[in-house]
Amino acid sequence: MISGPVQESDESIPAVERMIRTKRALFAFTALMLFCSCSQKQGEILWDRYGIPHIYAQSEEDLFYGVGWAQMKGHANLMLKLYGEARGRAAEYWGEEHLESDRWMHLNGVPERSGQWLAEQDTQSKGHLAAFVRGINAYAEAYRDKIDPARTVVLPVREEDILGHVQRVIHFSFVIHPMEIAGVKRQWEEKSGSNTWAVAPKRSASGNALLLANPHLPWSDYYSWFEHHVVLPQLNAYGATLVGMPTVGIMFTDHLGWTHTVNTHDGADLYALKLEGGGYRFDGEIKPFEVSTKQLKVKQDDGSIREEVLTVKRSVHGPVVAEKGGDALALRVVGLDMPHVNAERWKMLNAKNFSEFQKALKTLQMPMFTVMYADQDGHIMHLFGGLTPRRNEGWDYSGIVPGDTSATLWTEYHRYEELPKVIDPPTGWLQNANDPPWTTTFPEALDADDFPSYMAPRFMHFRAQQSAQLMMDDDNITVEEFVQYKFSTRMLLADRVLDDLIQAGKSSPNELTVKAASVLAQWDRHADNESRGAVLFKAWADGYGISVEKSGLFVEPWREGNSNSTPHGLANPEGAAEALGEAARKVVEAHGALDVAWGEVFRLRKGTVYLPANGAPGDPYGVFRVTGYGANGDGTYTAGGGDSYVAVVEFSNPVKAYAVLGAGNASQPSSPHITDQLELFSEKRLRPVWLTRKEIEANLKERKVF
């Protein structure tokens, strides 16, 4: 018999005592249930005062659920729009203006390939996608009233939509854009851009490696960035990704970090086909096209639906994207047979050291982009990343390629080991500003002659030269200086030609030109908010059409042996002075004064926020602090792109970081986080990145437990 305490009967206990005991039991039971509930929670999202979600989870699936939920909170309308477009059904949902987008998706087989890619995902990646989609749909179900009713037609979002979005943005916007086909342009002509630096401990004042992440993209649509922090028991990572993507874009962890720039990679070719006998000529024979049709639906203004038949012809090269008379153009794009982009990103994020990071990169699932890397062990790397086709050197791939022979048809990619890369250079620093890989550090660590001619072109524009100069001029860089250099608005073009321009202007018989030269002589050669003379100089450079490529305008044109110090001097001072007079006339006409401040003309405007802007388009002006503008029609300009995201990371122990997302971490109309970082942008300031629970709790705005 097991002995124990004597049990009292209910009858032997006074009524008041029984009531007290009952209440205590209920309290204990409630506390136990609360404890169980908290201990069983899967994760939580802590939003700080800038709208940055810090997502804590115990499992990978729960983490991706939280990422999906958090992205929807900030960008629900935009995400659903992007997924509808990736489906190739945007015209069906929202009308005629989306028809060209739908045609582009179906012409390139994106909706069908998305299903194929999903079937090829490994178990882990499928779990990540499914969880991300669950988070998206759960938010939509809980907060449908916060979503534009026109966008809810896309719900529920499916895993295939995510993979379609990846293809649409990466393969069919970055690698090749429909506007490039219209103009028969090459990918290495600068469109979107970025800056990046990596500094080794030997050049850092603290003895810690430094990394700059600084993409330059339009501040809207599928170029929008989403900043977030993800935490698992074995992972602490922070950074940003393009809206709608489930995995990280540019990120750092406790161990390492990386960022990207749009590189001069050529991952797409247009092949000229000779049409004959209902097909096309190839290797001396007539080959038939693979022909399929797609039924596209288009919503009309009255709500009715009309249907349009899209006929898709495919050659051995790819789909026919243009046809005229007896000729056609077929498009071939890299990476469509590489469905594991998300898996590669996840492996990069979970790498603990440089060896593991390179192992992840070697899968070559991402079709393009420079990778700039730094870590806590002091390693730095610049990789000319992406899938570069193994082409026949006997042909010119810089324009339209003959499509009547298999000699021009590439079927393989260069291996990771064959790509240009620089690891731990003696200089202790690396840079990229959308220039080819040959100029990533000075003295040069790579010889372009050691690589196929089609790997990358040979040039170095002014912004890249400014980037390199900022690194070369300081061999003991503090974090504060690193930030200061990042925000430099100095126009390198002015350093190369301004003295000649001022001298020519002062010698002009035109009184206004002489006054303009005097204004330029007093100018600080920057494009800061208060810089006076920058507006005039930009007007002159635009009117004169000056650029690195126009060698005839310079006394000393750009030369490969002096990549970072040429071109310079004005070959035709009189012509330049004449252009200065015309620029001066336009500036006075538009603004009433020659020395109008840059920030009075170039502005930041969102909602009710209206602030002076700084920075300029990177080239031809050679400004490292890049800001792109759109004309308002009244002589002023509003910033709409450029420095999309800026993050400075010091790989100390623990890691420290500072960032700004000028366009804000949300696009939902009611969000306060659309404009809350514009003042930082205007003042060229970064905010601290909060990485510890204590820091986050001290700046907490909202919490969600899931």
Side-chain angles (χ1 to χ4, degrees):
M1 181 177 179
I2 301 175
S3 63
V6 176
Q7 302 295 316
E8 298 176 286
S9 68
D10 286 346
E11 288 77 9
S12 65
I13 304 174
V16 173
E17 181 67 17
R18 287 202 305 272
M19 182 178 69
I20 292 172
R21 292 188 180 188
T22 299
K23 286 185 176 181
R24 285 174 178 169
L26 286 171
F27 177 80
F29 178 77
T30 302
L32 177 63
M33 291 300 99
L34 285 172
F35 172 79
C36 292
S37 173
C38 292
S39 65
Q40 292 176 4
K41 70 184 180 184
Q42 302 304 302
E44 60 182 332
I45 308 174
L46 307 180
W47 278 275
D48 66 32
R49 56 192 172 94
Y50 287 104
I52 313 300
H54 304 261
I55 305 163
Y56 291 80
Q58 295 300 308
S59 71
E60 294 175 12
E61 287 75 14
D62 294 328
L63 185 74
F64 277 89
Y65 176 95
V67 173
W69 178 286
Q71 280 202 40
M72 280 289 281
K73 179 177 171 62
H75 297 282
N77 293 344
L78 175 58
M79 289 175 72
L80 296 180
K81 170 184 175 289
L82 296 178
Y83 294 149
E85 289 170 339
R87 282 180 190 172
R89 297 179 64 184
E92 175 186 348
Y93 298 149
W94 305 305
E96 196 89 29
E97 65 270 23
H98 298 274
L99 183 55
E100 280 305 313
S101 171
D102 287 356
R103 287 174 179 153
W104 182 239
M105 290 298 93
H106 286 286
L107 186 65
N108 289 291
V110 171
E112 295 82 359
R113 191 179 300 106
S114 300
Q116 296 166 9
W117 275 23
L118 181 61
E120 294 180 49
Q121 300 298 298
D122 58 63
T123 302
Q124 182 185 47
S125 297
K126 283 183 178 179
H128 293 170
L129 283 170
F132 181 69
V133 166
R134 283 199 304 274
I136 290 170
N137 290 327
Y139 179 89
E141 184 176 349
Y143 294 102
R144 201 177 185 95
D145 60 322
K146 295 182 180 293
I147 303 173
D148 183 345
R151 302 302 185 207
T152 59
V153 65
V154 178
L155 295 168
V157 173
R158 308 184 304 261
E159 288 93 328
E160 299 96 308
D161 297 327
I162 313 304
L163 296 174
H165 178 59
V166 169
Q167 292 176 58
R168 184 210 179 192
V169 175
I170 304 300
H171 300 78
F172 296 106
S173 294
F174 277 103
V175 176
I176 187 74
H177 194 281
M179 290 302 291
E180 288 185 271
I181 293 174
V184 196
K185 294 181 179 179
R186 304 308 300 157
Q187 176 60 27
W188 58 46
E189 292 184 5
E190 184 182 351
K191 303 181 306 302
S192 303
S194 307
N195 294 331
T196 179
W197 291 323
V199 174
K202 66 186 293 183
R203 300 280 293 219
S204 165
S206 66
N208 300 314
L210 305 174
L211 181 68
L212 168 69
N214 183 206
H216 306 150
L217 296 172
W219 295 348
S220 61
D221 208 56
Y222 54 70
Y223 294 115
S224 302
W225 288 96
F226 176 72
E227 187 176 358
H228 61 302
H229 179 202
V230 294
V231 183
L232 286 169
Q234 76 283 7
L235 177 67
N236 181 34
Y238 192 103
T241 193
L242 294 174
V243 168
M245 301 291 185
T247 48
V248 297
I250 54 182
M251 214 79 175
F252 68 90
T253 70
D254 293 332
H255 310 286
L256 53 84
W258 77 90
T259 186
H260 294 301
T261 62
V262 175
N263 55 352
T264 57
H265 168 267
D266 182 13
D269 282 306
L270 287 168
Y271 288 88
L273 306 181
K274 282 293 182 183
L275 304 182
E276 191 173 335
Y280 59 99
R281 185 162 288 281
F282 187 75
D283 281 348
E285 299 179 355
I286 297 175
K287 289 185 69 71
F289 287 105
E290 293 180 15
V291 181
S292 61
T293 58
K294 308 290 180 183
Q295 294 290 132
L296 304 186
K297 296 182 178 181
V298 185
K299 186 176 182 179
Q300 305 298 287
D301 291 341
D302 62 2
S304 63
I305 298 291
R306 75 170 179 85
E307 292 192 354
E308 176 181 298
V309 176
L310 175 68
T311 301
V312 180
K313 295 180 179 179
R314 294 185 62 86
S315 71
V316 295
H317 314 84
V320 172
V321 295
E323 191 172 342
K324 184 178 181 180
D327 299 310
L329 289 178
L331 174 65
R332 191 166 186 80
V333 178
V334 300
L336 303 182
D337 52 347
M338 299 291 198
H340 305 299
V341 173
N342 293 329
E344 180 184 89
R345 312 305 280 183
W346 185 245
K347 290 174 183 175
M348 291 164 63
L349 186 64
N350 283 275
K352 299 295 190 294
N353 53 51
F354 186 38
S355 176
E356 292 180 7
F357 186 79
Q358 283 203 93
K359 184 178 179 180
L361 286 179
K362 287 179 181 179
T363 62
L364 292 179
Q365 297 296 306
M366 181 60 72
M368 66 174 293
F369 301 125
T370 288
V371 179
M372 192 70 82
Y373 169 94
D375 67 26
Q376 207 162 52
D377 294 328
H379 295 297
I380 61 174
M381 177 184 71
H382 170 276
L383 167 69
F384 186 78
L387 293 163
T388 298
R390 195 179 299 278
R391 297 181 168 105
N392 189 332
E393 285 269 42
W395 299 88
D396 180 10
Y397 287 85
S398 62
I400 296 177
V401 184
D404 60 350
T405 171
S406 56
T408 61
L409 182 64
W410 46 263
T411 57
E412 297 178 351
Y413 306 126
H414 281 275
R415 294 178 292 108
Y416 175 82
E417 290 75 14
E418 298 173 310
L419 300 177
K421 65 181 71 65
V422 178
I423 298 171
D424 297 334
T427 59
W429 62 271
L430 296 164
Q431 74 81 32
N432 188 259
N434 309 117
D435 49 319
W438 328 124
T439 50
T440 189
T441 195
F442 287 91
E444 292 95 330
L446 295 173
D447 187 342
D449 289 338
D450 293 337
F451 297 85
S453 61
Y454 56 73
M455 184 69 72
R458 302 185 185 199
F459 66 81
M460 192 178 193
H461 47 62
F462 283 124
R463 174 165 55 92
Q465 293 184 44
Q466 179 75 292
S467 174
Q469 195 65 50
L470 288 164
M471 289 294 95
M472 284 190 290
D473 285 348
D474 192 343
D475 60 4
N476 192 37
I477 304 172
T478 66
V479 172
E480 293 75 19
E481 289 170 334
F482 202 60
V483 173
Q484 178 188 340
Y485 301 155
K486 158 55 222 142
F487 286 125
S488 172
T489 67
R490 190 173 186 89
M491 291 190 176
L492 185 63
L493 174 62
D495 292 335
R496 301 290 176 80
V497 303
L498 190 58
D499 290 344
D500 287 359
L501 180 60
I502 291 171
Q503 184 177 347
K506 287 183 175 180
S507 302
S508 172
N510 185 313
E511 183 179 349
L512 185 59
T513 303
V514 174
K515 290 181 179 179
S518 296
V519 169
L520 292 179
Q522 298 299 313
W523 172 43
D524 62 7
R525 302 191 180 189
H526 288 72
D528 285 330
N529 298 6
E530 295 299 324
S531 294
R532 297 180 181 275
V535 173
L536 174 61
F537 183 76
K538 181 180 183 300
W540 168 79
D542 293 347
Y544 198 49
I546 198 164
S547 69
V548 169
E549 294 80 9
K550 294 183 178 180
S551 58
L553 297 180
F554 300 97
V555 172
E556 177 73 16
W558 183 83
R559 290 189 293 110
E560 192 167 4
N562 297 90
S563 297
N564 63 329
S565 59
T566 55
H568 60 75
L570 289 172
N572 180 9
E574 293 78 12
E578 185 178 338
L580 177 60
E582 179 61 17
R585 183 189 65 77
K586 290 181 178 179
V587 169
V588 171
E589 185 178 277
H591 308 294
L594 285 171
D595 64 346
V596 60
W598 181 268
E600 292 179 26
V601 177
F602 295 92
R603 308 286 294 180
L604 298 166
R605 186 195 311 239
K606 270 194 172 188
T608 59
V609 178
Y610 192 53
L611 297 167
N614 53 75
D619 281 293
Y621 321 105
V623 176
F624 194 73
R625 192 319 192 243
V626 173
T627 310
Y629 302 92
N632 295 321
D634 60 357
T636 65
Y637 298 81
T638 298
D643 272 8
S644 311
Y645 181 57
V646 180
V648 166
V649 186
E650 180 185 12
F651 288 95
S652 51
N653 189 10
V655 174
K656 299 174 186 174
Y658 311 87
V660 67
L661 183 61
N665 209 36
S667 57
Q668 287 299 95
S670 60
S671 175
H673 303 300
I674 297 174
T675 59
D676 59 352
Q677 297 186 57
L678 277 179
E679 187 173 345
L680 293 173
F681 189 100
S682 178
E683 296 175 356
K684 299 200 298 187
R685 291 191 293 125
L686 300 178
R687 51 179 172 73
V689 166
W690 297 308
L691 294 170
T692 68
R693 186 83 184 208
K694 182 179 179 181
E695 292 172 327
I696 297 162
E697 293 278 5
N699 293 278
L700 187 63
K701 187 75 173 179
E702 186 178 346
R703 182 194 311 264
K704 173 181 172 54
V705 176
F706 61 88

